[in-house]
Amino acid sequence: MIRFFILLFFISYFNSFCQTTDRQVRSRFFNRLTYDNPLDYDKINGSPFLNNKFLPGKIINKNTLDIQNVYLRYNVYNNFFEVKESDSGDETFSLMKNKFIIPSINQQEFYLTKSIENDENIYVSLVSRLNDNKIILKAYTCEYKEGVIPKSSYDKGRPAKFISNEVYYIAASEDFKLYKEFDLSKRDLLDIFDDKRDALKKFIKQKDLKFKNENDLIILINYYKSI
């Protein structure tokens, strides 16, 4: 009987410890999810999210190398990650913004760095490493455009919508400091890779690269690093 009560005590203590640990993790990494200017997403064309559904992901602590498995959704419009502790969880948190806390979805890691335009923290992900000092990063953007209500039957209305886009940067490989923003265009890319401009110009023409998507950028970078 004494052994039974001792075992019961340890089980109770262990469960209490786990719950305390979970609360500590939440307090360090998670905030209560609140919106300063809530919008009714269902009434707006497009999406404020990179991924509309919560997907299996990880939160990586760069200092301690601890990894926590969670479910994540990137709210690009509001520039933060929404977190659920389980797929069926009802409670949603926002991930605290800290350069040592790295969210990861589908093996794509997101890092905090300072915007070129201001001191705002933005999330970026790695596209490619150019050399030991420079890398190419990508940031997702989302702009909200208000709708227009027609004043009469002769006027044309316009629904509210989210406009999503991607922005590319040259950055420092050590601290992810952003140096220069560029477009996926032949002109911008030749300016960036000016040291091998002639060879790349011929390669772009030979491969008929149009830079309509990131795949053409990766092809060009791989060739740049090979010559």
Side-chain angles (χ1 to χ4, degrees):
M1 181 64 71
I2 294 176
R3 290 181 180 178
F4 171 76
F5 281 113
I6 292 175
L7 179 61
L8 188 62
F9 169 78
F10 278 110
I11 291 174
S12 175
Y13 176 81
F14 178 76
N15 289 336
S16 175
F17 174 80
C18 289
Q19 291 173 1
T20 302
T21 302
D22 288 342
R23 286 195 295 270
Q24 288 173 344
V25 170
R26 290 179 189 172
S27 65
R28 290 203 308 269
F29 296 154
F30 302 165
N31 298 313
R32 293 287 178 182
L33 182 59
T34 58
Y35 289 99
D36 294 331
N37 297 301
L39 297 172
D40 189 347
Y41 294 157
D42 292 335
K43 295 181 180 179
I44 303 172
N45 289 347
S47 173
F49 304 108
L50 178 61
N51 46 290
N52 287 318
K53 294 183 178 181
F54 282 86
L55 298 177
K58 301 179 186 295
I59 296 173
I60 304 165
N61 188 322
K62 195 175 178 181
N63 279 339
T64 64
L65 301 181
D66 289 338
I67 298 175
Q68 184 178 3
N69 294 315
V70 292
Y71 285 80
L72 293 170
R73 180 169 69 175
Y74 183 19
N75 190 321
V76 181
Y77 175 67
N78 287 293
N79 189 33
F80 64 76
F81 279 84
E82 299 180 6
V83 186
K84 283 188 176 183
E85 293 178 289
S86 67
D87 188 25
S88 58
D90 294 327
E91 195 167 10
T92 304
F93 303 90
S94 65
L95 183 64
M96 184 177 67
K97 291 181 181 177
N98 185 305
K99 65 179 181 179
F100 297 111
I101 300 174
I102 303 170
S104 174
I105 304 176
N106 290 333
Q107 298 183 334
Q108 182 180 12
E109 295 181 351
F110 294 83
Y111 309 88
L112 270 182
T113 190
K114 296 291 185 182
S115 168
I116 288 180
E117 292 79 13
N118 49 51
D119 284 336
E120 180 185 359
N121 286 318
I122 61 172
Y123 281 105
V124 293
S125 62
L126 179 65
V127 175
S128 180
R129 295 188 178 275
L130 295 180
N131 50 47
D132 292 338
N133 301 316
K134 291 183 180 180
I135 55 178
I136 290 184
L137 300 173
K138 172 173 65 176
Y140 296 94
T141 65
C142 184
E143 178 187 359
Y144 171 68
K145 284 207 168 184
E146 292 187 358
V148 176
I149 300 175
K151 296 179 180 179
S152 70
S153 58
Y154 298 100
D155 295 331
K156 289 185 177 181
R158 186 181 67 219
K161 63 180 178 179
F162 289 110
I163 301 175
S164 298
N165 202 358
E166 297 172 358
V167 182
Y168 293 86
Y169 299 96
I170 297 291
S173 59
E174 184 176 354
D175 58 3
F176 284 30
K177 181 180 179 180
L178 306 181
Y179 289 145
K180 182 179 180 180
E181 178 182 334
F182 66 91
D183 294 326
L184 288 187
S185 68
K186 177 181 176 180
R187 182 181 64 182
D188 275 14
L189 292 171
L190 288 176
D191 285 344
I192 290 171
F193 304 123
D194 188 58
D195 56 326
K196 301 177 182 179
R197 175 183 288 266
D198 291 340
L200 294 181
K201 199 171 182 179
K202 292 178 182 178
F203 181 77
I204 291 171
K205 184 176 181 180
Q206 176 187 354
K207 297 296 183 179
D208 194 28
L209 300 180
K210 302 298 184 183
F211 303 108
K212 299 295 184 183
N213 54 56
E214 194 174 295
N215 291 336
D216 284 358
L217 172 62
I218 298 299
I219 292 172
L220 185 68
I221 292 173
N222 288 339
Y223 178 70
Y224 171 82
K225 293 192 291 187
S226 71
I227 59 177

